[in-house]
Amino acid sequence: MTDRFPPGTRVRTFHHDPPHHTRLPRYARGKRGVVVEPEGPDELPDISARGSGDAPVEQIYAVRFEARDLWGEGDHHVVLDLWESYLEEDLEEDLEEDWEDDEEDDEEGTPDER
């Protein structure tokens, strides 16, 4: 099993409200964090809690969140152990750079227009 998110990767949790058990706390849904380290694989509790015996095994990651990002205040951080399917890479910073590049193109013209 390879690690999808190496330490230092900026991630965002999925913002969803499943109608079943999940180990993704409500206060951490849709929030940004940074992977601290992989914690090893284990069965996905969302499926194993149903008792069907066919839960997929996924990597668990220790993810650090700023308290003010979770609760709107606080100057400390919180580390949660989260299964891989709860996470996606946070590319927003890259998107902002793309938008900045687009704005520069609008001001200067695209390479084809120069």
Side-chain angles (χ1 to χ4, degrees):
M1 177 175 286
T2 60
D3 297 335
R4 179 176 170 200
F5 304 114
T9 303
R10 292 171 40 114
V11 293
R12 181 186 297 255
T13 61
F14 282 102
H15 188 71
H16 67 128
D17 189 18
H20 53 74
H21 172 77
T22 182
R23 296 288 303 272
L24 177 57
R26 187 174 305 274
Y27 62 82
R29 296 176 189 168
K31 304 297 182 181
R32 292 181 169 142
V34 176
V35 171
V36 177
E37 63 184 356
E39 296 287 326
D42 200 1
E43 289 184 349
L44 182 64
D46 300 48
I47 305 297
S48 63
R50 298 179 198 168
S52 61
D54 60 347
V57 174
E58 295 184 359
Q59 183 64 264
I60 300 170
Y61 295 93
V63 180
R64 185 183 68 238
F65 297 90
E66 297 298 323
R68 67 181 163 277
D69 291 339
L70 298 178
W71 299 292
E73 61 184 51
D75 58 357
H76 61 286
H77 66 267
V78 175
V79 176
L80 300 173
D81 289 342
L82 300 173
W83 274 255
E84 186 171 292
S85 63
Y86 300 163
L87 305 170
E88 64 182 347
E89 189 169 354
D90 183 6
L91 301 173
E92 188 162 318
E93 186 172 293
D94 295 336
L95 291 174
E96 289 176 4
E97 289 176 7
D98 289 344
W99 291 339
E100 289 173 6
D101 290 344
D102 289 345
E103 287 178 9
E104 288 176 12
D105 288 345
D106 290 344
E107 293 172 6
E108 300 172 7
T110 62
D112 294 337
E113 297 171 341
R114 292 182 202 141

